[in-house]
Amino acid sequence: MNAPESDIAANLRAVREKIANAAIRAGRAPEDVTLVAVSKTKPVEAVLAALAAGQTVFGENRVQEAAEKFPGLRGSHAFDLHLIGGLQTNKARDAVRLADVIETLDRPRLADALAAAVEKEGRRVSFLIEVNTGGESQKSGVLKDDADAFIADCKGRFGTALKGLMCIPPHGEDPRPHFTWLADRAARHGLGVVSMGMSADYEIAIECGATLVRVGTAIFGGR
Ligand SMILES: *Cc1c(COP(=O)(O)O)cnc(C)c1O
């Protein structure tokens, strides 16, 4: 169900307040946590309602859907678009054209394609490495055992455009060990951005060190 516009504004206020409270509980500054409003499957009117309510960071899963919704808003609104869905190599160029942050860098061939796309497009894009912390075969993300080598490889390729790590813990499991592992690994590599936590668990993620939370349903309603 799509939430009406007034609900989107109220939902955003409620989520922002929970974020601030979770940060304070964890002894952190509320400004340390950025809210990514995940607008996948929702119409552009929902994005406009969120923009009107002061939201400036959005997340989309699919390149095609992002291409239909966001470029037309660039002229009239300032925002950052994050791509948070598994990315095919042949979509790398479109992704670099559209996104400000690509959160799902997870394999050398994709890194090659994205590096080439950045070169061609001349756009400044930031990257996060997605880690498949649960080792789930159906999920994208680099495996934990391969993470250190891949992080080092991507630092070499992308330099300071590599900002941090992202994960989606297995459904129905306690997310804490996954969140803690990710925050710790980012710190060890000197990476400042830790993207973790969705509608069901963003407060826990903040307590475990998230600096980016990706929230869809709690803002825009169910899908
Ligand atoms: C859909 C999605 C979200 C948001 O999920 P909600 O449960 O609706 O908050 C966050 N991250 C990723 C990668 C997603 O695909």
Side-chain angles (χ1 to χ4, degrees):
M1 280 263 292
N2 291 331
E5 285 182 24
S6 56
D7 285 8
I8 290 172
N11 292 344
L12 272 167
R13 273 197 301 279
V15 170
R16 287 189 196 124
E17 189 174 323
K18 285 185 182 171
I19 288 172
N21 288 337
I24 289 163
R25 274 202 301 279
R28 305 177 52 206
E31 311 82 69
D32 276 1
V33 183
T34 298
L35 171 61
V36 180
V38 178
S39 51
K40 65 184 181 201
T41 79
K42 299 299 178 183
V44 73
E45 289 74 18
V47 175
L48 286 165
L51 283 164
Q55 179 62 27
T56 57
V57 186
F58 293 87
E60 285 283 338
N61 273 54
R62 301 169 74 89
V63 169
Q64 184 58 40
E65 185 180 347
E68 285 161 14
K69 278 151 68 173
F70 282 88
L73 302 172
R74 290 266 187 210
S76 48
H77 297 84
F79 57 84
D80 275 352
L81 179 62
H82 291 221
L83 283 175
I84 61 173
L87 191 58
Q88 288 172 276
T89 303
N90 64 9
K91 298 271 170 64
R93 186 101 185 246
D94 289 337
V96 163
R97 226 177 254 146
L98 277 168
D100 302 288
V101 181
I102 294 174
E103 296 202 11
T104 51
L105 178 53
D106 68 352
R107 57 196 190 278
R109 281 200 54 228
L110 181 60
D112 287 341
L114 289 169
V118 165
E119 178 90 36
K120 286 203 189 90
E121 294 295 325
R123 267 199 90 225
R124 208 165 11 173
V125 178
S126 297
F127 297 97
L128 306 183
I129 290 172
E130 180 179 359
V131 183
N132 184 354
T133 57
E136 296 171 279
S137 57
Q138 79 282 11
K139 254 188 201 154
S140 47
V142 62
L143 293 171
K144 282 205 284 194
D145 284 349
D146 301 329
D148 285 329
F150 188 58
I151 292 166
D153 173 31
C154 288
K155 267 193 182 171
R157 284 171 202 263
F158 296 106
T160 56
L162 179 68
K163 302 288 186 196
L165 305 181
M166 176 269 217
C167 78
I168 311 168
H171 191 72
E173 254 184 50
D174 179 3
R176 278 183 184 80
H178 300 272
F179 291 161
T180 304
W181 187 93
L182 198 76
D184 175 67
R185 196 52 53 124
R188 281 200 220 177
H189 286 274
L191 296 169
V193 178
V194 185
S195 173
M196 56 192 193
M198 321 204 308
S199 291
D201 55 16
Y202 64 94
E203 293 169 274
I204 297 170
I206 290 165
E207 287 167 12
C208 296
T211 68
L212 273 185
V213 292
R214 310 177 307 268
V215 179
T217 308
I219 298 169
F220 295 111
R223 291 180 295 270

